[in-house]
Amino acid sequence: MRRTVALFLSFVVGLFARAVVAATSGEGEVAYVQAERVYVTLGRADGAQVGARIEARPSTGAPVTLELSHVAEHSAAAPMVAGGSALRPGDRVVL
């Protein structure tokens, strides 16, 4: 019985640790694209700050570097740059 409980607790702790790493991994996605601005799902909780450069990876085309101009707790925005028109909601971004 103790062995089963210990195994279960190890499993639960492992799941929690993975969730924490995923939540603070510095990876997110494009949430919304406007003609002049790109919104992403990275924020202060992920280590983002104004002026940070992130790499957006569109599903087609070359990666695009964005410089964050506004940062909230769980989201951020960057001005549109050349090549950014290829970005779509759901594209991956990395801090």
Side-chain angles (χ1 to χ4, degrees):
M1 179 68 171
R2 285 184 182 175
R3 187 176 193 161
T4 303
V5 170
L7 182 60
F8 176 74
L9 289 175
S10 296
F11 176 73
V12 170
V13 168
L15 286 178
F16 178 73
R18 286 184 188 175
V20 169
V21 169
T24 59
S25 66
E27 293 186 16
E29 60 185 43
V30 173
Y32 187 70
V33 180
Q34 290 183 319
E36 68 283 343
R37 194 166 304 282
V38 178
Y39 298 88
V40 299
T41 62
L42 289 173
R44 281 190 300 272
D46 303 296
Q49 53 189 326
V50 172
R53 293 178 186 265
I54 61 172
E55 183 176 276
R57 298 175 181 163
S59 53
T60 60
V64 177
T65 300
L66 301 169
E67 186 173 328
L68 300 178
S69 59
H70 303 294
V71 178
E73 190 65 21
H74 297 287
S75 62
M80 182 59 75
V81 295
S85 60
L87 295 174
R88 301 285 179 261
D91 287 344
R92 188 170 160 215
V93 293
V94 180
L95 185 60

